[in-house]
Amino acid sequence: MSKRDGIGAGTRLVAAGRREEWTQGIVNPPVWRASTILYDSIADMRATGGDTHHRLYYGRRGTPTQWALADALTELEPGAEGTFLYCSGVAAIAAALLSVLSPGDELLLVDSAYEPTRAMARGLLARFGITTRFYDPLVGAGIAELIGDKTRAILMESPGSLTFEVQDVPAIVDAAKARGVTTLIDNTWATPLFFPAIAAGVDLSILACTKYVVGHSDVMMGSVTAGPGHFAKLRQTSFELGQVAAPDDCWLGSRGLRTMAVRLKHHEQSALEIARWLADRNEVGAVLHPALPSCPGHKIFVRDFKGSSGLFAFVLNGADEASRAAFIDALDLFGIGYSWGGFESLATPADPHRALDTPDHGGAIVRLQIGLEDTADLIADIEQALDAFRAVRG
Ligand SMILES: *Cc1c(COP(=O)(O)O)cnc(C)c1O
């Protein structure tokens, strides 16, 4: 029991990873760039031995700049063993999966998974003899019936990409543990602040740090945080893959992390206000925001999550491609572009790809990332874009 157990998320974010020997008193861990590290003698070179964790060895094994951010992310997940950083969220997903899967194994993948994750299953994993079976995001304890002799891993994402179904992670973890199956989660939407995945029993928790950790739409980065017994394999696989996140990017990641709790609180309040405003409009069908009862899995969200972030979707009633495009094109304060989690608002079309039945939402879906602008301005912008939508839809 350390005296820092039980401290709040904001406090944890400020202190995390800032070891004196790495910062030398500089508040934000500085940039240590390196490829070659020089040794005093051959004896000194040999003394490093096999274990290079938190020891200067060669640039690919990192410097204090990377270690400080990795350690900070570990500290955000109570019970976690360690974190490895990657050059993107997708690279993090690939390394996490390759650290647990071998030829002949089967992966159970949630059917609401992020499209590049699905592409990885169809491409890379299939090419190496790993099969994938998709499961319904609302399967809950029913996952037990899908676990077969070859099932080695379950990759969850909660809420799901584009349609925001909330999964019963504790029930899936229980079923997996009973059969010795490794569990992974893409926790990018909630972050460890709103859903501490390792404490919930998940083995590997993945973040696209590109989103809320960096928070300013200017760096690509990913992380995998491992629960007890899973870090050594993750690190080994990542070294074998030659993975290393750049020190300059990690420095920006550490800088972004310090304000993540404050930003998330603002994203949360603004997104909730806008989601509720949309729910009252007759141009709008279901609002797919986990904190609203219209979102599948809402009750699980209330039970398991400490908060909601700034990304959600909604159905434009009767919208087709053209009328949805008219709505998005008419928005002035929302950018049109991939990614999310930055300070600026974004709007994109959301067209879920499904292996199982695709639910009919009664119109095309729009995904919004609510940034740090004033909500009154964003709502006024959406209101005028709804006028443009009605003009095209009729
Ligand atoms: C963006 C995203 C990723 C991938 O992150 P990149 O840094 O863009 O590679 C993974 N999962 C989810 C849910 C995402 O939204």
Side-chain angles (χ1 to χ4, degrees), residues 53 81-84 204 224 226-236:
H53 193 45
E81 201 180 11
T83 298
F84 204 97
L204 294 165
V224 182
H230 291 271
F231 186 56
K233 192 75 193 293
L234 173 73
R235 189 155 57 111
Q236 180 68 24

Side-chain angles (χ1 to χ4, degrees), residues 87-91 93 114 117 157 161 186 188-189 207-211 220-222 311 339-340 367:
C87 60
S88 71
V90 167
I93 294 167
Y114 181 61
T117 307
E157 190 182 319
S161 269
D186 183 331
T188 303
W189 184 88
L207 294 181
C209 299
T210 308
K211 315 292 166 56
M220 304 293 304
M221 196 188 297
L311 188 79
S339 203
W340 49 279
R367 190 183 75 172

Side-chain angles (χ1 to χ4, degrees), residues 49 62 72 92 114 120 146 170 178 226 242 275 302 310 347:
Y114 181 61
M120 197 183 298
L146 301 178
V302 172

